[in-house]
């Protein structure tokens, strides 16, 4: 027996001594399962990717991009957001915190702060300065996200030895996934500069590798002509190239291929035009590759994180709509970018040494005008008209027309001082406004604060609203439009609703410690962080409410 204890003790000692990192740590999974954690986890978020983009364009994809992930990994084919609103900032925060806006605090991209009485942006922070530009575009931090991310937990678990780098075109797409403890987050500033920047929240100066990338001319090389990747006649999965449902670019009379980006850039924000083309994805991949080398990600036995958000699909979808040739071409080109990134990871980190998950922050709707042309119920909610009607109603009912101090994100915020001054009962006001709103032709559901603070019910829509409702930050009345109704211009697509076209998004796990397979059981976006946490053997994010998708993990 003593000899057995001695043998086991020596084996444990040798296992701990085998890592090649200074001040070594055991790999997280080795503590319980004698499994080796991946050297690098890459969390990919595609901004505005409906689930059906995987299936609709499947026959056009190569074997090395989306198909490689699906065939070699684990696909969740019934994956949804479990809250509203389905916007970019809450989506990115929910993926990496494993919980909903109710808990993590990022209730929209921007929202009304009823305590400061100002409208705020999700990652703005005047306490910090821009790094890499004189513009204020770098005055950002993740402070409004009040919980930890999986990236934070990995940093804590490894005593800050595991690195985290966040990359995106959008600031919020880089900052929120990277968390509070990230080594750095980088996002793209266009205009006349066309470079990646950061914030003094992370560092006071850009690393040399970032400066080198910005000086390389790589970004400028993409001011070229955007033509379809394949003959446009083969794009039978999308609508006509010339139609009445798309915005296009200033300076071009029709939203049709080809697009001379050099010529068009002058009237479309100079380098900013690249955001609304697939070349924004190329720039993102190029910078991510530079980060892998520059930060030596995945080069030792302690897990690093690269969070990577492809922002351009969202810009393209908003501009051209989900049924456009431009959206189809974007996804065929994004498939190439995914393939290129995987090949690069194979080369730099090693086949079998990394884990990837790919998902999206929301889906998108068909253009209502397009649906109307096919006699499908759809329409446009006119917020300005609703606001005018609201003031008239309040004036007639309470003789005070400005009891609502803010109307945004389908929420009404009360003016508390006016309510007290006029001795108005808040409960009655909520009920009266509910009755008024539900009488409006485009409004489908209305919930009061009192209703949303009650326990969850069997009303599935109400539960989605509750999970997106922050007791501290949200308004006093929440209203939802009918399916396929949007508050948006009459061209292009948008998102934000509780319906399947916005909530259902892809979810694919791939690589080290991941099973091959698929499930049609319902999974939710908040399940990603606990699943990756369990795979790594680290603590879940501190407010996580998701479940582990156990069939994903190779036990």
């Amino acid at each position: 027996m003593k000899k057995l204890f001695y043998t086991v003790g020596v084996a444990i000692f040798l296992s701990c001594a085998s890592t090649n990192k200074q001040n070594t740590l055991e790999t997280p999974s080795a503590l319980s399962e004698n499994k080796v954690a991946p050297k690098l986890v890459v969390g990919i978020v595609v901004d505005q990717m409906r689930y059906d983009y995987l299936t609709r364009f499947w026959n056009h994809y190569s074997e090395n991009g989306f198909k490689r992930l699906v065939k070699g990994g684990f696909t969740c084919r019934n994956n949804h957001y479990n809250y509203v609103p389905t916007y970019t900032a809450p989506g990115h925060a929910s993926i990496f915190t494993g919980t909903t806006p109710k808990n993590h605090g990022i209730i929209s991209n921007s929202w009304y702060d009823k305590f400061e009485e100002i409208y705020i942006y999700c990652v703005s922070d005047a306490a910090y300065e821009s790094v890499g530009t004189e513009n204020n575009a770098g005055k950002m931090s993740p402070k409004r996200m009040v919980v930890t991310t999986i990236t934070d937990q990995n940093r804590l678990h490894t005593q800050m030895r595991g690195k985290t780098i966040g990359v995106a075109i959008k600031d919020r797409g880089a900052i929120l996934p990277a968390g509070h403890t990230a080594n750095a987050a980088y996002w793209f500033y266009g205009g006349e500069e066309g470079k990646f920047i950061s914030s003094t929240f992370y560092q006071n100066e850009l690393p040399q590798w970032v400066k080198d990338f910005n000086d390389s001319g790589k970004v400028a090389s993409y001011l070229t002509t955007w033509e379809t990747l394949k003959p446009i006649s083969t794009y039978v999965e999308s609508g006509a190239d010339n139609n009445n449902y798309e915005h296009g670019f200033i300076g071009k009379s029709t939203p049709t291929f080809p697009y001379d980006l050099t010529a068009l850039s002058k009237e479309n924000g100079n380098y900013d035009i690249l955001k609304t083309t697939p070349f924004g994805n190329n720039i993102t991949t190029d910078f991510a590759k530079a980060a892998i080398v520059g930060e030596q990600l995945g080069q030792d036995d302690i897990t690093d994180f690269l969070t990577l958000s492809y922002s351009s699909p969202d810009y393209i979808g908003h501009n051209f709509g989900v049924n456009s040739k431009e959206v189809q071409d974007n996804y065929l080109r994004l498939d190439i970018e995914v393939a290129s990134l995987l090949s690069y990871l194979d080369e730099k980190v090693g086949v079998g040494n990394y884990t990837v998950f790919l998902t999206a922050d929301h889906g998108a709707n068909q253009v209502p005008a397009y649906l109307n042309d096919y006699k499908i119920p759809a329409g446009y909610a006119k917020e300005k008209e609703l606001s005018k009607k609201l003031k008239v109603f309040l004036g007639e009912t309470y003789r005070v027309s400005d009891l609502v101090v803010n109307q945004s994100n389908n929420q009404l915020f009360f003016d508390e001082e006016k309510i007290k001054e006029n001795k108005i009962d808040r409960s009655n006001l909520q009920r009266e406004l509910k009755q008024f709103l539900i009488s409006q032709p485009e409004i489908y559901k209305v919930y009061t604060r009192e209703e949303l603070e009650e326990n969850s019910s069997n009303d599935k829509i109400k539960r989605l609203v509750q999970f997106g409702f922050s007791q501290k930050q949200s308004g006093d009345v929440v209203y939802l439009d009918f399916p396929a109704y949007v508050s948006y211009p009459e061209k292009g697509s948008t998102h934000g609703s509780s319906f399947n076209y916005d909530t259902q998004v892809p979810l694919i796990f791939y690589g080290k410690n991941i099973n091959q397979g698929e499930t049609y059981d319902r999974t939710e976006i908040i399940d990603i962080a606990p699943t990756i946490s369990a795979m790594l053997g680290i603590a879940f994010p501190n407010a996580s409410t998701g479940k582990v998708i156990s069939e994903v993990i190779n036990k």
Side-chain angles (χ1 to χ4, degrees):
M1 182 65 75
K2 288 182 179 179
K3 183 176 180 181
L4 175 61
F5 285 153
Y6 174 79
T7 302
V8 171
V10 170
I12 292 173
F13 173 79
L14 291 174
S15 175
C16 293
S18 65
T19 178
N20 61 2
K21 198 159 197 172
Q22 190 176 8
N23 296 323
T24 57
L25 295 174
E26 291 177 303
T27 55
S29 297
L31 297 177
S32 59
E33 300 179 355
N34 293 319
K35 290 176 64 178
V36 178
K39 294 183 176 183
L40 178 64
V41 175
V42 182
I44 301 174
V45 182
V46 182
D47 201 328
Q48 197 182 127
M49 184 176 186
R50 292 163 53 112
Y51 169 76
D52 65 341
Y53 289 162
L54 269 183
T55 56
R56 188 167 134 206
F57 307 138
W58 182 261
N59 290 336
H60 289 276
Y61 292 143
S62 71
E63 291 297 321
N64 301 316
F66 291 125
K67 285 185 177 179
R68 176 179 172 184
L69 293 178
V70 170
K71 293 179 179 180
F74 194 96
T75 304
C76 299
R77 296 191 177 274
N78 186 21
N79 184 64
H80 291 263
Y81 277 86
N82 65 329
Y83 65 84
V84 287
T86 40
Y87 294 145
T88 296
H92 282 76
S94 298
I95 291 165
F96 286 86
T97 64
T99 193
T100 67
K102 175 181 180 179
N103 297 314
H104 61 58
I106 304 298
I107 62 172
S108 187
N109 293 337
S110 299
W111 63 89
Y112 178 71
D113 188 314
K114 56 192 175 186
F115 301 106
E116 295 184 26
E117 298 182 339
I118 58 172
Y119 206 68
I120 58 174
Y121 179 57
C122 57
V123 292
S124 64
D125 193 340
Y128 298 96
E129 300 298 326
S130 300
V131 176
T133 181
E134 297 298 318
N135 190 278
N136 288 334
K139 296 169 74 71
M140 307 287 172
S141 87
K143 75 170 184 179
R144 292 191 173 90
M145 183 171 60
V146 297
V147 303
T148 64
T149 59
I150 185 175
T151 47
D152 287 325
Q153 295 302 149
N154 187 66
R155 291 274 284 160
L156 292 168
H157 186 84
T158 61
Q159 298 301 312
M160 303 297 164
R161 290 175 173 86
K163 283 188 173 183
T164 297
I165 301 294
V167 175
I169 294 291
K170 294 181 182 179
D171 47 25
R172 56 189 181 270
I175 292 169
L176 296 171
H180 303 276
T181 59
N183 298 85
Y186 301 101
W187 53 96
F188 183 73
Y189 178 66
E192 296 181 357
E193 298 183 41
K195 59 187 180 181
F196 279 86
I197 65 171
S198 191
S199 163
T200 54
F201 177 83
Y202 306 101
Q203 57 204 349
N204 292 320
E205 185 178 1
L206 293 178
Q208 190 58 49
W209 69 265
V210 178
K211 294 178 182 178
D212 290 344
F213 182 90
N214 286 337
D215 293 339
S216 68
K218 178 73 75 171
V219 171
S221 72
Y222 290 113
L223 280 176
T224 182
T225 300
W226 177 17
E227 300 181 278
T228 55
L229 180 68
K230 297 181 178 182
I232 198 168
S233 61
T234 67
Y235 286 18
V236 296
E237 296 80 10
S238 48
D241 191 27
N242 192 11
N243 60 68
N244 295 321
Y245 314 119
E246 304 174 17
H247 291 287
F249 294 111
I250 299 170
K252 185 171 170 59
S253 59
T254 59
T256 54
F257 285 101
Y259 297 97
D260 183 343
L261 300 181
T262 301
L264 292 170
S265 65
K266 297 177 179 63
E267 295 184 77
N268 293 273
N270 296 306
Y271 286 113
D272 277 328
I273 195 173
L274 293 173
K275 297 177 181 178
T276 315
T277 75
F279 302 125
N281 299 327
N282 292 70
I283 294 167
T284 304
T285 305
D286 292 341
F287 191 81
K289 290 177 179 178
I292 290 168
V293 174
E295 296 292 340
Q296 296 186 334
L297 299 179
Q299 299 306 303
D300 54 48
D301 292 334
I302 295 181
T303 303
D304 297 324
F305 260 89
L306 173 64
T307 70
L308 181 59
S309 179
Y310 285 107
S311 308
S312 287
D314 187 64
Y315 290 108
I316 296 167
H318 279 293
N319 193 348
F320 296 99
V322 304
N323 199 45
S324 63
K325 300 292 188 197
E326 288 81 1
V327 162
Q328 177 163 359
D329 193 66
N330 166 72
Y331 276 94
L332 271 55
R333 289 177 178 273
L334 181 58
D335 177 62
I336 295 173
E337 293 306 296
V338 171
S340 175
L341 179 64
L342 293 174
S343 177
Y344 198 77
L345 290 169
D346 290 343
E347 176 189 349
K348 298 297 182 182
V349 183
V351 177
N353 288 331
Y354 61 87
T355 302
V356 173
F357 67 83
L358 183 146
T359 188
D361 58 349
H362 52 73
N365 69 300
Q366 289 276 7
V367 178
Y370 168 77
L371 295 179
N372 287 162
D373 285 348
Y374 286 91
K375 300 179 181 179
I376 296 173
Y380 296 91
K382 303 187 184 304
E383 289 292 295
K384 288 184 179 179
E385 289 185 14
L386 178 62
S387 182
K388 290 177 182 177
K389 290 181 182 178
L390 182 63
K391 286 186 177 182
V392 171
F393 170 78
L394 290 171
E396 292 175 348
T397 307
Y398 291 96
R399 298 184 181 179
V400 185
S401 63
D402 53 355
L403 290 173
V404 172
V405 70
N406 182 268
Q407 177 185 343
S408 57
N409 294 315
N410 283 34
Q411 298 184 38
L412 304 181
F413 292 80
F414 293 166
D415 187 323
E416 298 298 337
E417 290 185 7
K418 290 279 176 64
I419 288 174
K420 290 178 183 177
E421 180 184 324
N422 291 276
K423 297 180 180 179
I424 294 172
D425 183 274
R426 295 183 87 263
S427 296
N428 286 337
L429 179 58
Q430 288 180 57
R431 287 193 292 271
E432 292 279 4
L433 284 172
K434 178 177 180 177
Q435 289 303 115
F436 163 75
L437 290 169
I438 203 66
S439 70
Q440 304 307 306
E442 73 273 18
I443 292 180
Y444 173 57
K445 297 274 189 179
V446 183
Y447 301 102
T448 67
R449 171 174 283 273
E450 290 180 355
E451 291 174 321
L452 294 173
E453 288 180 347
E454 295 172 357
N455 291 331
S456 297
S457 69
N458 292 326
D459 181 344
K460 292 183 179 179
I461 300 292
K462 180 181 177 182
R463 290 183 67 188
L464 294 177
V465 176
Q466 284 178 312
F467 286 136
F469 185 86
S470 166
Q471 188 177 43
K472 187 177 182 70
Q473 296 165 284
S474 295
D476 299 288
V477 180
V478 179
Y479 56 94
L480 306 177
D481 298 321
F482 271 100
Y485 274 71
V486 297
S487 178
Y488 200 68
E490 296 189 5
K491 294 183 179 182
S493 292
T494 190
H495 49 86
S497 80
S498 61
F499 301 109
N500 288 330
Y501 50 79
D502 282 339
T503 67
Q504 188 180 17
V505 295
L507 176 56
I508 310 168
F509 298 87
Y510 175 87
K512 190 171 184 62
N513 297 337
I514 302 299
N515 279 325
Q516 288 181 271
E518 61 183 21
T519 182
Y520 287 88
D521 292 341
R522 181 183 173 93
T523 58
E524 296 180 338
I525 210 71
I526 60 172
D527 298 335
I528 297 172
T531 300
I532 294 294
S533 295
M535 186 270 290
L536 293 176
I538 66 176
F540 290 11
N542 60 12
S544 174
T545 52
K547 69 179 187 300
V548 175
I549 311 172
S550 59
E551 51 270 57
V552 167
I553 303 171
N554 185 343
K555 304 177 182 65

